[in-house]
Amino acid sequence: LARFGFRRVLTVNAVIGADMEVISFRETGVNANITLSASDIIGMSTSTGVPSTTNQLDILVDGGDTINIDAGSFYSSTSDGTGTHYTFFNDAGHTTQIAQLDVLV
């Protein structure tokens, strides 16, 4: 996470038994402004097995946080009352899902 320029200690919790990681930026005074790609998510998480090549990362945010997706990424997104959900693929044709990012409010 140091390469993203964080200057404060972040709350990072691995969800035991769920094969996904959670990063929380909800601490007082923490204002995240990061850009992520599928390879970033893969590097910070383990495969969920659904599908077998997909890595899952949840980021918990509040009003001061900005999460961007790398311009070279192949992804689709949906939003609902819980946040924005990004599905990353290996190519522009969205052939194989390789990572999942949920930015939760």
Side-chain angles (χ1 to χ4, degrees):
L1 292 174
R3 72 182 189 164
F4 298 112
F6 297 123
R7 295 181 194 160
R8 292 197 54 150
V9 175
L10 305 176
T11 303
V12 179
N13 301 308
V15 179
I16 297 172
D19 290 325
M20 76 172 75
E21 279 70 0
V22 177
I23 298 173
S24 177
F25 293 113
R26 291 182 179 163
E27 299 293 327
T28 302
V30 174
N31 293 314
N33 185 0
I34 61 173
T35 299
L36 296 171
S37 67
S39 56
D40 293 326
I41 295 163
I42 290 167
M44 290 188 269
S45 60
T46 57
S47 179
T48 63
V50 185
S52 61
T53 57
T54 297
N55 288 58
Q56 169 78 37
L57 178 66
D58 289 352
I59 297 181
L60 309 178
V61 298
D62 58 20
D65 304 315
T66 303
I67 309 299
N68 301 299
I69 305 303
D70 182 76
S73 298
F74 304 113
Y75 70 97
S76 63
S77 65
T78 60
S79 294
D80 60 23
T82 65
T84 304
H85 314 281
Y86 299 92
T87 304
F88 292 83
F89 299 91
N90 67 328
D91 60 24
H94 293 190
T95 305
T96 303
Q97 180 179 342
I98 58 173
Q100 178 73 34
L101 172 65
D102 293 319
V103 179
L104 306 171
V105 292

